[in-house]
Amino acid sequence: PAPQIDDVPVVGFYDLHESDLDKVFQLPTTTFIGGNENSLSLREIIKRLENTYCQHIGLEFMFINDVEQCQWIRQKFETPGVMKFTNEEKRTLLARLVRSMRFEDFLARKWSSEKRFGLEGCEVMIPALKTIIDKSSEMGIEYVIMGMPHRGRLNVLANVIRKELEQIFCQFDPKLEAADEGSGDVKYHLGMYHERINRATNKKITLSLMANPSHLEAVDPVVQGKTKAEQFYRGDTAGKKVMSILLHGDAAFAGQGVVYETFHLSDLPSYTTNGTIHVVVNNQIGFTTDPRMARSSPYPTDVARVVNAPIFHVNADDPEAVMYVCSVAAEWRNTFNKDVVVDLVCYRRRGHNEMDEPMFTQPLMYKQIHKQVPVLKKYADKLIADGTVTLQEFEEEIAKYDRICEEAYTRSKDNKILHIKHWLDSPWPGFFNVDGEPKSMSCPPTGISEDLLTHIGNVASSVPVKDFKIHTGLSRILRARLEMTKNRVVDWALAEYMAFGSFLKEGIHVRLSGQDVERGTFSHRHHVLHDQEVDKRTCVPMNHLWEQQAPYTVCNSSLSEYGVLGFELGFAMASPNALVCWEAQFGDFHNTAQCIIDQFISSGQAKWVRHNGIVLLLPHGMEGMGPEHSSARPERFLQMSNDDSDAYPEFSEQFEVSQLYECNWIVVNCSTPANYFHVLRRQILLPFRKPLIILTPKSLLRHPEAKSSFDEMVSGTTFQRVIPENGLAAHAPHEVKRVIFCTGKVYYDLVKERKNQDLEKEVAITRLEQISPFPFDLLKEELEKYPGADLVWCQEEHKNSGYYDYVKPRFRTIVNHARPIWYVGREPAAAAATGNKNTHLVSLRRFLDTAFNLEAFEGKTF
């Protein structure tokens, strides 16, 4: 039937070929398409159709190369009458706008000189989020994980997640003292976790808003990782129970590269969360930067085109259009399991924050903004005019919420202590307590039975799938593993295999992610076998260890560090009973993920009371391979360690565990496969979780001396924070002239040189396996054992990098500054390593000569 617009029949609709369109649009406005003089011109038809069906909505989807998806979107927006709302829905929308706007007004009245990064100019975001959550809950979603920048965060906490208002208001008290551990963070960075009943569906919904720093988009991959983990542990493979919502600012969405990295994880098998709803609060400005200076693309949302996500641009001053678009976005995600973007085209009524003056830099823009009628008044006037609500009902709704705020404000004055745990976004119920009592602050031995070691070694040496053809070179590697197992010996790769495998038997999920980790950058791991004759046919032997075992997930990541490390960090937040590891292709490459390391990993517990057990595997070692393939920059991790170099600790029976409990992270550089095995095992057996930074080897992966016996890994054995000298020098310590302390690969160079110079009685070599927290107790024993010896710190790294600046003051604290600790190693340098093999060997020769020159430091002062 011919549609009608304003009671005028629209007739003469014809199918036109694309090539005819230009001719049609060139027709004079008086031209009619069929009908009589009362019919509408084509131009008028188009104009009225736009006003009727999607007046304030713009669509971007024609780049999507899927006909079904395009037709689905067309049906949602081109069907007459799709944007009709019942009076009850309109009243609910108005009530949500009231809460959004009056919350900001209340904060502005009470704390006029405080920053709060309010939502004025985009108050519609609150009902928009609630619509997405309502619609998603209706379709079966039980858990929504959210990430957002600071603008509007307090409003979201109050009106979407429903944080108690008094808890928010007491944050503004300047006399507030934090009662719980940690340094805390500003109120618009903190997160929240809340289970409640969704009023629209009467179903239980869990909402988590992730804590995040001021790095506006850094939280994106973290949210995705946590979402993936929650889906994984619930068996929600299609994302029908758990989903994520990410909020963005327009300038950050276009400008921050991690947005692109995160989008490119969205369809990867081991990283997909089955679709994310992105909501862009498009202020049309970035702090003070005009959009013409902030991006090169027409829209801030164009980055989403790379994954064929539909983009809905909607006028934030048209609340009904926003609600419709949000509802469609939720349906899209549920239907196609793909990302979708809602671009709320709005403005920022105040400056970047409430203390900022935007007229300095955008005078014309803000003259227009000051004339804008607030969206609440616009919408209320519309509903009052059409009789949906009365003026009295509207005023009563305002008075009701104002009263709620005032009562909460009164209660907040009695709440002088902030319990940061209220803001915890990733609770681990039952982990820190056993039968209601805190866990014992101890760590059991980390060794396992010989039967387990043998069984894991045998599986690691096999192909547990029938008629599976592997590469001949790989057959040799598997035979070598089997031979090692028979001889009760492990190399680095087999030790890792045994640590991972032992957890799977204990029900601990293991996830290893990073670039090329399935095979291993150095072709040592081979955790995924590939059939040489059948495409895409693979086998993961570690998932065939036992009939009832936890799953092992090993996945090659995209060529990303920032996004992938953030993702794995988020994954590790979901459960303490999982070993989540991220491996850099080379340790140097972690520098492009520095934001995640600095803002989330090193300080996450201090700021947000969030334990995290993520493990970073960083290949490290000076081998003449150049400045980008040598140094994992251990000095950076040590500089951010929170232990005090000048404080002489009190030693107790549980000193090791209490040190670990107090530290912000653990930094180790193991020299033996057995110790690598133990430190991985300790990571899960500890009664708490701390990030673990492991400087892993490259050349030691195949070094003939870098092997360990089963005797060092069986039941009763444990991680050695320090491996003392156990050769000839240890048997006559008073005859020792020099003790060389070192860590990692350089130990093998030192041992070889000591033997060559026949100094095994005169020189002791002690290895620091755990550098931070510093093993004061064990090193004190070592220093007292050799009272007459020179003390030398030897490292292969340059003097201005590596460990020296960290260990030197701590050694001096142990000896009360009575004995010097001399440096031996490479000279200071701007680049981390040389790429010239000869230069590398010359510098190695030079510092080895110094290390064993027993007169090198005579007459020198310290």
Side-chain angles (χ1 to χ4, degrees):
Q4 292 190 348
I5 300 178
D6 298 338
D7 299 323
V8 178
V10 179
V11 297
F13 270 48
Y14 297 103
D15 288 332
L16 296 171
H17 190 272
E18 193 172 353
S19 61
D20 296 327
L21 289 179
D22 286 342
K23 297 175 185 176
V24 171
F25 280 100
Q26 289 168 8
L27 290 173
T29 55
T30 54
T31 300
F32 299 104
I33 310 296
N36 51 48
E37 66 274 8
N38 293 321
S39 297
L40 300 175
S41 71
L42 182 62
R43 288 191 179 183
E44 187 63 22
I45 290 171
I46 292 170
K47 179 180 176 183
R48 294 200 187 187
L49 282 173
E50 286 176 343
N51 290 339
T52 303
Y53 301 141
C54 47
Q55 184 177 6
H56 290 139
I57 299 171
L59 307 173
E60 283 189 82
F61 67 94
M62 292 306 294
F63 53 84
I64 297 175
N65 55 4
D66 185 296
V67 173
E68 180 191 359
Q69 293 175 11
C70 289
Q71 290 295 86
W72 188 92
I73 295 172
R74 288 191 183 101
Q75 186 270 328
K76 292 293 180 184
F77 289 94
E78 295 180 8
T79 302
V82 288
M83 269 184 51
K84 288 185 177 176
F85 293 87
T86 66
N87 285 346
E88 185 59 34
E89 288 171 331
K90 292 177 181 179
R91 284 192 288 268
T92 298
L93 174 51
L94 180 66
R96 289 173 170 178
L97 274 176
V98 165
R99 287 176 171 250
S100 177
M101 191 160 216
R102 298 303 289 180
F103 176 82
E104 299 295 351
D105 289 350
F106 185 84
L107 295 185
R109 290 198 309 274
K110 296 295 186 183
W111 296 283
S112 58
S113 61
E114 285 272 353
K115 293 179 185 177
R116 64 180 189 279
F117 293 96
L119 204 49
E120 294 99 327
C122 193
E123 293 89 347
V124 77
M125 187 181 87
I126 298 303
L129 290 176
K130 292 175 81 70
T131 298
I132 292 171
I133 293 167
D134 289 349
K135 191 70 176 178
S136 300
S137 173
E138 182 185 307
M139 294 182 290
I141 291 293
E142 299 170 354
Y143 191 179
V144 178
I145 300 168
M146 299 167 58
M148 68 178 296
H150 36 266
R151 186 177 184 204
R153 189 183 196 90
L154 297 180
N155 208 323
V156 169
L157 285 167
N159 289 314
V160 177
I161 302 191
R162 297 198 199 144
K163 176 73 179 173
E164 299 96 323
L165 291 179
E166 56 267 34
Q167 279 288 328
I168 296 175
F169 296 160
C170 80
Q171 283 265 283
F172 287 90
D173 188 339
K175 299 186 293 296
L176 193 67
E177 295 180 3
D180 290 293
E181 59 183 307
S183 61
D185 200 352
V186 290
K187 48 193 164 287
Y188 37 80
H189 286 172
L190 297 170
M192 175 67 184
Y193 175 96
H194 190 205
E195 294 180 8
R196 62 174 175 81
I197 298 296
N198 179 272
R199 291 174 184 166
T201 61
N202 208 31
K203 294 179 180 178
K204 193 168 104 172
I205 188 93
T206 300
L207 301 174
S208 176
L209 176 63
M210 304 293 286
N212 62 272
S214 279
H215 298 66
L216 293 173
E217 301 290 340
V219 78
D220 296 357
V222 182
V223 168
Q224 300 301 71
K226 185 181 178 193
T227 304
K228 180 68 174 180
E230 294 291 352
Q231 292 174 350
F232 179 84
Y233 295 129
R234 293 167 186 242
D236 182 19
T237 55
K240 298 300 183 184
K241 300 294 182 185
V242 182
M243 66 172 283
S244 57
I245 301 174
L246 288 176
L247 288 93
H248 314 266
D250 51 319
F253 199 61
Q256 296 290 302
V258 72
V259 175
Y260 182 86
E261 292 186 33
T262 305
F263 265 114
H264 269 291
L265 296 176
S266 64
D267 282 334
L268 303 183
S270 297
Y271 301 88
T272 182
T273 57
N274 300 287
T276 296
I277 298 178
H278 300 264
V279 178
V280 178
V281 177
N282 188 348
N283 301 314
Q284 306 177 75
I285 188 174
F287 196 163
T288 67
T289 304
D290 188 289
R292 291 168 291 189
M293 312 299 175
R295 62 178 185 266
S296 297
S297 59
Y299 297 101
T301 52
D302 284 344
V303 66
R305 288 169 170 253
V306 300
V307 293
N308 284 341
I311 302 165
F312 304 144
H313 307 281
V314 58
N315 183 351
D317 268 4
D318 186 343
E320 290 183 8
V322 172
M323 295 313 103
Y324 182 71
V325 160
C326 289
S327 179
V328 171
E331 287 185 59
W332 166 274
R333 191 250 170 212
N334 183 68
T335 303
F336 297 108
N337 299 114
K338 288 175 65 68
D339 286 43
V340 57
V341 178
V342 176
D343 180 21
L344 299 178
V345 183
C346 59
Y347 57 92
R348 193 183 64 191
R349 187 170 288 279
R350 302 175 187 269
H352 174 66
N353 59 60
E354 287 69 25
M355 303 296 101
D356 196 52
E357 175 49 79
M359 292 289 285
F360 289 158
T361 51
Q362 270 78 29
L364 299 182
M365 181 182 193
Y366 272 84
K367 284 177 184 176
Q368 291 298 317
I369 287 175
H370 292 155
K371 297 176 185 176
Q372 290 293 311
V373 177
V375 64
L376 177 60
K377 177 169 173 47
K378 282 183 184 177
Y379 193 57
D381 288 350
K382 176 178 180 292
L383 296 192
I384 291 169
D386 64 23
T388 305
V389 297
T390 65
L391 177 60
Q392 182 181 350
E393 288 171 331
F394 173 57
E395 290 174 343
E396 286 174 355
E397 189 68 39
I398 290 175
K400 174 184 170 185
Y401 189 67
D402 285 354
R403 188 165 57 252
I404 290 171
C405 290
E406 286 290 351
E407 291 170 356
Y409 177 70
T410 302
R411 289 193 300 272
S412 74
K413 292 185 175 181
D414 299 327
N415 207 345
K416 294 299 180 189
I417 298 176
L418 167 68
H419 292 275
I420 301 176
K421 287 187 174 66
H422 282 292
W423 301 91
L424 189 64
D425 58 48
S426 305
W428 292 343
F431 174 68
F432 296 101
N433 298 285
V434 177
D435 298 326
E437 295 295 322
K439 282 185 178 178
S440 170
M441 287 294 289
S442 62
C443 181
T446 46
I448 60 177
S449 73
E450 183 154 344
D451 287 345
L452 276 180
L453 292 172
T454 302
H455 174 72
I456 298 170
N458 288 336
V459 174
S461 312
S462 68
V463 183
V465 176
K466 291 182 179 180
D467 302 321
F468 194 98
K469 185 173 177 59
I470 62 173
H471 191 276
T472 53
L474 191 50
S475 298
R476 290 194 298 272
I477 292 172
L478 297 186
R479 284 197 300 272
R481 280 185 190 169
L482 184 61
E483 191 66 23
M484 280 193 291
T485 302
K486 288 178 180 177
N487 294 331
R488 303 179 68 253
V489 169
V490 297
D491 62 3
W492 216 270
L494 192 52
E496 179 184 77
Y497 213 111
M498 289 176 170
F500 288 177
S502 66
F503 284 135
L504 303 180
K505 183 175 177 58
E506 297 164 15
I508 301 296
H509 171 231
V510 178
R511 178 180 169 95
L512 174 62
S513 163
Q515 294 159 20
D516 311 295
V517 296
E518 294 179 3
R519 192 204 74 177
T521 298
F522 310 102
S523 197
H524 66 289
R525 185 172 284 128
H526 299 288
H527 284 187
V528 178
L529 309 180
H530 292 258
D531 194 304
Q532 297 296 295
E533 295 180 348
V534 182
D535 186 33
K536 298 182 182 178
R537 189 181 186 215
T538 59
C539 169
V540 181
M542 207 175 302
N543 279 322
H544 296 266
L545 286 166
W546 293 277
E547 286 189 11
Q548 299 293 325
Q549 67 166 73
Y552 174 51
T553 307
V554 55
C555 41
N556 286 344
S557 73
S558 64
L559 202 69
S560 156
E561 289 86 27
Y562 189 169
V564 173
L565 179 56
F567 188 98
E568 302 309 330
L569 176 83
F571 201 104
M573 286 176 184
S575 171
N577 299 314
L579 182 72
V580 180
C581 306
W582 175 75
E583 183 175 74
Q585 191 174 62
F586 290 87
D588 314 55
F589 296 178
H590 76 70
N591 57 13
T592 54
Q594 200 67 46
C595 178
I596 297 295
I597 293 169
D598 291 358
Q599 308 302 329
F600 288 89
I601 300 179
S602 75
S603 57
Q605 182 181 346
K607 293 190 291 188
W608 306 319
V609 199
R610 173 196 283 134
H611 281 234
N612 196 295
I614 191 168
V615 178
L616 272 61
L617 305 176
L618 306 177
H620 172 85
M622 310 294 124
E623 284 135 358
M625 299 305 293
E628 279 78 55
H629 301 87
S630 301
S631 178
R633 292 292 190 178
E635 66 277 4
R636 295 180 182 175
F637 295 97
L638 295 173
Q639 185 184 37
M640 290 186 283
S641 295
N642 66 353
D643 62 333
D644 189 345
S645 63
D646 301 321
Y648 193 86
E650 293 184 11
F651 303 130
S652 64
E653 188 177 343
Q654 297 299 334
F655 177 70
E656 175 185 357
V657 176
S658 61
Q659 248 199 332
L660 295 174
Y661 182 75
E662 296 296 332
C663 75
N664 62 316
W665 59 16
I666 305 162
V667 182
V668 303
N669 187 1
C670 301
S671 62
T672 70
N675 233 16
Y676 178 51
F677 164 87
H678 283 299
V679 81
L680 289 173
R681 296 266 308 154
R682 186 183 72 171
Q683 185 70 357
I684 292 297
L685 294 179
L686 285 170
F688 46 83
R689 294 289 174 263
K690 299 286 177 173
L692 173 61
I693 314 301
I694 306 181
L695 303 167
T696 58
K698 298 182 309 225
S699 62
L700 292 193
L701 296 174
R702 294 177 177 82
H703 196 293
E705 301 301 319
K707 288 188 169 62
S708 298
S709 165
F710 278 16
D711 293 337
E712 301 169 65
M713 302 163 67
V714 293
S715 302
T717 57
T718 190
F719 175 68
Q720 293 181 273
R721 291 175 291 148
V722 171
I723 301 180
E725 171 64 55
N726 58 7
L728 294 174
H731 298 139
H734 289 278
E735 298 178 16
V736 171
K737 297 178 180 177
R738 176 166 295 174
V739 183
I740 298 177
F741 295 93
C742 65
T743 186
K745 177 181 77 73
V746 74
Y747 167 76
Y748 293 93
D749 296 320
L750 291 167
V751 167
K752 182 179 177 181
E753 184 65 21
R754 180 176 65 174
K755 185 175 182 180
N756 289 342
Q757 296 197 28
D758 195 21
L759 291 173
E760 291 171 296
K761 290 183 179 179
E762 289 88 347
V763 178
I765 303 176
T766 296
R767 287 169 272 176
L768 269 72
E769 302 286 291
Q770 176 179 296
I771 302 106
S772 180
F774 195 68
F776 283 97
D777 53 336
L778 299 180
L779 288 173
K780 180 175 182 290
E781 293 175 13
E782 281 296 288
L783 293 169
E784 290 175 349
K785 188 189 297 182
Y786 305 102
D790 286 342
L791 307 180
V792 167
W793 175 260
C794 182
Q795 64 181 35
E796 58 181 350
E797 296 81 10
H798 293 282
K799 189 176 183 180
N800 59 327
S801 57
Y803 320 87
Y804 179 59
D805 285 339
Y806 178 85
V807 302
K808 178 182 177 180
R810 288 162 177 81
F811 270 109
R812 297 185 72 179
T813 294
I814 294 174
V815 299
N816 197 22
H817 300 264
R819 299 167 70 183
I821 177 84
W822 302 104
Y823 169 79
V824 172
R826 292 181 167 90
E827 295 298 313
T834 179
N836 182 288
K837 194 72 174 180
N838 186 60
T839 302
H840 166 76
L841 293 174
V842 167
S843 62
L844 174 63
R845 178 75 266 153
R846 187 180 296 126
F847 81 70
L848 287 177
D849 287 344
T850 305
F852 292 99
N853 179 357
L854 301 184
E855 285 78 40
F857 304 110
E858 285 186 5
K860 291 189 176 182
T861 58
F862 70 97

